[in-house]
Amino acid sequence: MTWRDRHVLVAGARRTGISVVDVLLFLGARVTVADGDPAQLDTLGDRPVARTRELAALPAGCDLVVTSPGFRTDSPLALAARDASVPMIGEPELAFLLGGEPEVCPDGPPRWLAVTGTNGKTTTTTMLEAILRAAGVDAVACGNIGLPVVDALRAGHPVLAVELSSFQLEWSPSVRPYAGALLNLAEDHLDWHGSMAAYGAAKARVLRGEVAVGGLDDREAAALLLAAPAPRHVGFTRGAPGPGELGIVDGRLVDRAFGDRVPLAEVADVAPPGPPGEANALAAAALARAHGVPPEAVAAGLRAVAPGAHRGAVVAEAGGVRWVDDSKATNPHAAAASLAGHDRVVWVAGGLLKGADVTDLVVAHRGRLAGAVVLGRDRDAVAAALARHAPEVPVRDVGGGDDGPVSDRASDTASESMLRAARAAAGLAQPGDTVLLAPAAASMDMFRDYAARGDAFAAAARTVAGGAGPRGAAVPDEAPSPTGGGAA
């Protein structure tokens, strides 16, 4: 493909968008950058690009659009591209295409080991990177985890551990990782994709390479693995593995796909502990073993991994009450796993449900709820489910999420709402209880991202609990606004 003098519209001028601009300029393309936020356009500095705030039409002569994943397939920009017969792709798709360009990858294209799923993507990708590095492989985690894939490509890493969101996969029609894992599939982003079937179809794109890896304990993921076009299928289960599977036997991760009952690691090596972490470790091990990593590297890599911030971190303790930040639980499936880890919980929930239903979540975990505090734009849906299916659980509504787009002023209001939530939770909690932020919803109605929400909860918890100290630091990687350039 010839890039010199090709006119490319880059939609979104955040971190990933700027990385896209830089590689296109390096290849000699003519670039126009579109972003609705003039401050984001200013971050382009003196780069020789045209700039526009127009997000519903293509510039004259444009023959390719590289989009931020936040743009839906029915957005005005996508419809304009379709009407003009101009291809519209995402940054991972661009990176996949550029892998064949000698100017970008003089040693040939890197091997992609990709991870997707409703929950656990970042944890699994982090584990995969650690295992690969323990084996001496020059690999880097990239994609939705934070580092743009084009930057990893230009750095010359021969192996990429790529986290891919459903948004990114939707805009990546050609991406076929050497090995790809689908961890699980539950209702999420239905407002963006339009249906569960469309959401699943986007996720299933990760299973089109040489090796397809899927979670057998998740019915939807297992079905998509069965239907995957990859020539080799590998399942993982927290039970004893059958032929062609990875699983757990007598407290050990065991491989029956790339070896004959090969022990890989002790369950005790897995962090975070518990069923979700164990499933993530099995998926990471399967991808690493597909690349040829030896068994001992799996254990060494898993031991090197520390749990990420906002994923079940204890942020305060006082009066026999623990305060736990799991702000990364941005959908009901993740919140269910979080709630299952505690006996008696004052649940802090709410935000943007993105079309998801919390009924099953409430029914499954009502027995452990000592109380609930709801906040955010879709708090009424959470409160209604509690009133219908757990009427004995006291619920406090602290508002929030009705102030429109997030701004500095709105962020201040959001922090005040979180402080009200912490005070309400403290009034419901008894010694031995856990106050758990597991919102089951996205954060962007009130906060910049889930990390900002978690930070606000931690600060409020310490204020209410008397200053007990935090464990963990913010690592923001949630979806930005549709005008941004990062992945979702």
Side-chain angles (χ1 to χ4, degrees), residues 256-319:
R256 294 191 65 190
F258 304 97
D260 184 13
R261 296 176 175 85
V262 176
L264 300 175
E266 301 292 328
V267 168
D269 291 333
V270 176
E278 292 165 11
N280 298 157
L282 288 163
L287 291 172
R289 293 285 283 163
H291 181 64
V293 163
E296 57 271 18
V298 175
L302 292 176
R303 285 193 296 268
V305 173
H310 310 298
R311 293 170 172 83
V314 178
V315 295
E317 295 182 66

Side-chain angles (χ1 to χ4, degrees), residues 66-228:
V66 181
T67 178
S68 156
F71 286 95
R72 290 166 41 147
T73 56
D74 60 354
S75 66
L77 184 63
L79 295 176
R82 197 172 306 148
D83 289 344
S85 298
V86 172
M88 186 163 171
I89 63 174
E91 180 263 344
E93 173 79 1
L94 176 67
F96 195 75
L97 296 174
L98 293 182
E101 296 289 341
E103 291 175 271
V104 180
C105 296
D107 297 324
R111 173 170 283 185
W112 288 45
L113 306 175
V115 178
T116 196
T118 301
N119 298 302
K121 295 185 295 296
T122 297
T123 300
T124 303
T125 306
T126 301
M127 290 174 169
L128 174 60
E129 178 190 47
I131 293 169
L132 291 166
R133 289 185 173 181
V137 178
D138 179 6
V140 67
C142 58
N144 196 51
I145 199 169
L147 177 69
V149 188
V150 290
D151 287 350
L153 199 72
R154 298 185 73 188
H157 299 284
V159 180
L160 306 181
V162 189
E163 178 185 329
L164 293 170
S165 71
S166 60
F167 302 166
Q168 290 172 312
L169 285 163
E170 185 69 46
W171 291 117
S172 300
S174 301
V175 168
R176 281 169 174 76
Y178 174 77
L182 175 58
L183 307 177
N184 46 57
L185 195 69
E187 285 190 349
D188 199 14
H189 301 304
L190 301 189
D191 54 341
W192 198 97
H193 289 282
S195 69
M196 188 66 180
Y199 175 56
K203 290 289 193 185
R205 287 186 171 189
V206 81
L207 303 176
R208 301 180 297 178
E210 291 298 310
V211 182
V213 176
L216 301 179
D217 299 334
D218 183 281
R219 183 178 63 182
E220 299 293 339
L224 289 171
L225 176 64
L226 184 65

